[in-house]
Amino acid sequence: MKIRVGQGYDVHRQGKGEELWLGGIKFEHTHGLIGHSDADVLIHAICDAILGAANMRDIGFHFADTDPQYKGIDSKILLKDVMELVRKEGWELGNIDCTIVAEKPKINPHIPAMKNCLADVMSVDEDDISIKATTSERMGFVGREEGMAVHAVALIQKA
């Protein structure tokens, strides 16, 4: 059996009054994330991890932030498209492991809903998705609440 591992990392700036989408779920919060799409930093890191594992470049290569068709797009659509791309090449997801780095809001209460949403979009079992959350102990751009970051690792295998 052939397996591969990919790593994804994404950051987005925070802005007052912006919507906050993480893992396909809308959070109620005073600050959201700024981006060309809906700025779902979790989904973007997952896409990069999966694409990287399949040696298919990154999310920006497939869905350029200069392309007007992706302006404001729901990142769940991008994730679904990524899964179709890698499946066409004969790959299937083994699992993903993600860490969201954010000071606020509290992420842990929303993890079950995010896992459920992502599993549905990706057509995988919730058990194949691990989401963790941490802060940066008030250090750096995350600590100053200027942005959020996500680290993701994906394991894929030939179907």
Side-chain angles (χ1 to χ4, degrees):
M1 171 189 305
K2 186 169 189 169
I3 62 172
R4 289 186 179 169
V5 176
Q7 181 264 337
Y9 175 74
D10 196 33
V11 298
H12 279 279
R13 291 179 293 121
Q14 285 182 263
K16 188 172 179 71
E18 299 287 332
E19 290 185 345
L20 177 57
W21 289 89
L22 291 172
I25 303 299
K26 186 176 180 182
F27 282 58
E28 293 302 322
H29 190 54
T30 58
H31 289 71
L33 298 175
I34 301 167
H36 184 71
S37 66
D38 64 6
D40 191 324
V41 66
L42 176 58
I43 287 181
H44 297 175
I46 290 170
C47 287
D48 273 349
I50 293 167
L51 288 167
N55 195 20
M56 296 177 72
R57 310 231 5 210
D58 61 27
I59 191 173
F61 177 79
H62 294 277
F63 315 103
D65 65 4
T66 55
D67 190 332
Q69 74 175 313
Y70 301 120
K71 179 70 177 158
I73 194 168
D74 182 338
S75 291
K76 293 186 296 289
I77 294 168
L78 304 179
L79 179 57
K80 186 173 184 144
D81 288 351
V82 164
M83 293 304 295
E84 288 176 12
L85 285 169
V86 298
R87 284 180 173 133
K88 281 181 187 173
E89 296 299 318
W91 295 101
E92 188 54 58
L93 184 75
N95 71 298
I96 57 171
D97 183 30
C98 310
T99 303
I100 301 169
V101 187
E103 294 297 325
K104 292 179 185 170
K106 291 290 184 190
I107 305 296
N108 281 318
H110 304 279
I111 289 175
M114 289 188 289
K115 287 179 60 167
N116 179 269
C117 179
L118 292 169
D120 184 53
V121 170
M122 300 169 74
S123 299
V124 299
D125 292 333
E126 280 186 50
D127 192 48
D128 296 334
I129 301 168
S130 170
I131 301 172
K132 304 174 303 298
T134 191
T135 69
S136 66
E137 298 292 330
R138 314 284 303 149
M139 296 182 293
F141 74 92
V142 171
R144 292 187 301 272
E145 298 180 44
E146 296 170 358
M148 291 184 186
V150 174
H151 300 267
V153 177
L155 175 75
I156 61 173
Q157 56 202 13
K158 276 292 184 179

